[in-house]
Amino acid sequence: DQKHNLRHFKDMSYYFCIVHGDSPIFECDLAPDGKREDQKHNLQFAVLGALDTIDEAAWTTTAMNLKVVEKSIASDQLVSAFVTAGNTRFVLLHEVRNDDGIKGFMQDVYDVYVKAMLNPFYTLPEPITSPDFRARVRTIAKKYL
């Protein structure tokens, strides 16, 4: 089953962003080759364009995992979201529905995020620049997506 998930990850494109307030503090292109510079602005636009929908969806539930909240017009991808208690939004752009895998991904990234927030040398809303954090997000993506 894990080989199936790894193969699936290699075939799909994912873009993950953590947004605090209206500013991205972490972005990670999870495309198979890791680079889509030509589309980066469209992906950022899709994430920022979905924030209002995410905020509206967050008011309708007590759950942190909001699942798919919309289909982005800017990138023609699905937008899934997870909202922390501090109203930081985790946004994932993806091509196919995978609610269970995305839920696991968001929960594990949240655990890593909480540990990063506990670092006394980090303060919000500075960008998260740690190579270790990025590597952990990529490893979690390979596990679940």
Side-chain angles (χ1 to χ4, degrees):
D1 189 38
Q2 194 163 5
K3 283 185 180 182
H4 171 72
N5 285 345
L6 187 57
R7 183 174 50 77
H8 186 74
F9 173 76
K10 289 180 180 179
D11 295 339
M12 291 291 149
S13 294
Y14 295 89
Y15 180 77
F16 177 68
C17 189
I18 298 176
V19 181
H20 182 76
D22 290 330
S23 303
I25 59 171
F26 178 79
E27 297 175 80
C28 189
D29 187 353
L30 300 170
D33 61 1
K35 297 285 182 191
R36 287 187 290 186
E37 290 300 321
D38 58 327
Q39 297 178 0
K40 186 173 182 182
H41 294 294
N42 284 344
L43 298 171
Q44 291 170 335
F45 182 72
V47 167
L48 295 176
L51 292 180
D52 287 338
T53 305
I54 293 168
D55 290 343
E56 288 173 17
W59 279 99
T60 65
T61 182
T62 58
M64 295 172 81
N65 184 33
L66 302 180
K67 299 183 181 180
V68 174
V69 293
E70 73 175 24
K71 182 168 183 171
S72 172
I73 296 170
S75 69
D76 199 35
Q77 291 183 308
L78 300 172
V79 179
S80 289
F82 181 97
V83 180
T84 70
N87 204 33
T88 297
R89 281 97 61 177
F90 294 8
V91 184
L92 181 69
L93 300 180
H94 53 99
E95 297 169 352
V96 296
R97 276 191 98 105
N98 175 12
D99 289 342
D100 292 338
I102 292 170
K103 180 180 179 181
F105 170 77
M106 295 289 201
Q107 288 174 332
D108 282 11
V109 170
Y110 179 63
D111 290 342
V112 174
Y113 170 80
V114 168
K115 290 175 186 169
M117 294 301 102
L118 293 174
N119 180 340
F121 299 108
Y122 177 79
T123 54
L124 276 172
E126 293 176 10
I128 300 172
T129 57
S130 164
D132 184 52
F133 185 86
R134 181 171 303 280
R136 287 177 187 229
V137 169
R138 287 188 141 311
T139 300
I140 294 166
K142 287 179 183 175
K143 179 179 177 183
Y144 288 105
L145 303 179

